[in-house]
Amino acid sequence: MNKSTVVIVVGILAPYRIPFYNEVAARSNSRIVVISLADTEPNRDGDSFNQPVKFEWIRLSGYSGYSWKFEIPFHLRLSIGRVVSRFKPDVLVLPGWDQLSYWQLLLWAKLHRTRLVLQIESHAGSSRINNGVANKIRQFFVRRANRVVTFGSAATELLLNTGVDGTNIYPTINAVAAAQKQQMPNRDNAAARASTIPSNGMSLKILFVGQLIARKNASLLLNAVALLEPGTYKLQIAGTGIQRDELE
């Protein structure tokens, strides 16, 4: 019996996704193919490929750009339909609706009668454009998927508020956020430790990792640590973005 084929299309291959796809490919009875529209994006630093990739991975190239105002990358990949057709997938998985390539593949899936699954992580707080027109476009796209998998309750809530039929939504946990939450200290204990910072030496290390953009609000952190007594902390910021010069 031939294996079924699952093609997963992503914007870029995020580093934290590689172990997950490795595990899925190792355990699945299906052929797993991941297609990334680009290697990286202007708002991200670092190399995603410093760990072993144990699944089939196709890296596309072409014209890419980035809107800093709306925090949206865009990748023009007119060949995406031909690339997907090579694998004759039984299931096509897309991460959203905000790229022309995803609309191309929505049409491709309908023409080829291929099951379409959307995996949605964005929520009201992370969505760059939230208005009536954007909601109508999102609703149009999502309603044409066979299944919608949401990561986290906030992503589910966004779709329900957009008017998407809840019976077609399959919620699951946001594994990255859940892992981060488990590693966070108890608030009361953290407050107690913070109140005992000695004034005669540096004992508190603060690390911010993320994009330096308004939505991430690194300026709030800078204002907060400015209230601490000098010499009692060390702040490190790892990231880049349109606000870097302003924050420096």
Side-chain angles (χ1 to χ4, degrees):
M1 184 175 180
N2 293 332
K3 279 187 173 184
S4 61
T5 298
V6 178
V7 169
I8 304 169
V9 179
V10 297
I12 62 172
L13 184 59
Y16 63 86
R17 292 289 185 202
I18 295 177
F20 171 74
Y21 290 140
N22 283 343
E23 196 68 21
V24 170
R27 297 190 180 200
S28 177
N29 292 323
S30 299
R31 179 187 182 188
I32 306 297
V33 180
V34 177
I35 300 175
S36 59
L37 302 182
D39 284 346
T40 188
E41 294 168 347
N43 62 324
R44 301 182 187 276
D45 278 343
D47 188 354
S48 301
F49 324 125
N50 56 2
Q51 49 188 311
V53 173
K54 301 177 181 178
F55 49 87
E56 292 184 68
W57 176 28
I58 308 299
R59 300 153 71 171
L60 302 183
S61 60
Y63 177 77
S64 296
Y66 191 83
S67 168
W68 287 104
K69 179 179 180 180
F70 297 108
E71 301 172 28
I72 296 177
F74 49 91
H75 308 291
L76 186 60
R77 305 291 183 266
L78 298 179
S79 64
I80 185 70
R82 293 196 302 272
V83 174
V84 170
S85 293
R86 283 166 33 197
F87 299 99
K88 299 179 180 179
D90 299 283
V91 179
L92 178 62
V93 182
L94 300 180
W97 57 276
D98 61 344
Q99 295 291 326
L100 175 60
S101 295
Y102 303 155
W103 288 87
Q104 289 176 256
L105 292 176
L106 170 62
L107 178 60
W108 184 95
K110 295 306 177 184
L111 290 176
H112 292 80
R113 299 182 179 180
T114 300
R115 294 182 66 81
L116 179 64
V117 176
L118 298 183
Q119 45 183 19
I120 305 297
E121 298 180 57
S122 61
H123 50 82
S126 66
S127 295
R128 285 73 165 179
I129 304 175
N130 271 316
N131 55 43
V133 174
N135 287 341
K136 288 293 184 183
I137 294 173
R138 182 188 296 115
Q139 184 185 80
F140 178 91
F141 194 100
V142 173
R143 281 181 171 178
R144 279 149 183 80
N146 297 99
R147 295 288 186 271
V148 182
V149 179
T150 54
F151 295 91
S153 57
T156 304
E157 183 179 356
L158 173 65
L159 294 184
L160 292 175
N161 290 341
T162 302
V164 175
D165 183 5
T167 60
N168 203 35
I169 299 175
Y170 293 77
T172 185
I173 64 169
N174 186 325
V176 174
Q180 290 173 339
K181 186 174 182 180
Q182 288 181 345
Q183 295 171 5
M184 291 176 63
N186 178 275
R187 286 190 175 185
D188 294 335
N189 292 340
R193 287 197 297 272
S195 66
T196 60
I197 297 173
S199 59
N200 60 352
M202 182 178 65
S203 64
L204 180 64
K205 295 180 180 179
I206 305 171
L207 174 63
F208 173 94
V209 181
Q211 300 175 51
L212 302 181
I213 55 179
R215 184 165 52 85
K216 298 297 184 178
N217 207 2
S219 60
L220 178 63
L221 174 61
L222 294 177
N223 292 334
V225 297
L227 301 176
L228 298 176
E229 186 174 345
T232 63
Y233 68 91
K234 180 179 180 180
L235 171 64
Q236 292 181 304
I237 295 180
T240 188
I242 197 171
Q243 287 191 323
R244 178 167 181 167
D245 292 340
E246 173 188 336
L247 294 172
E248 287 181 339

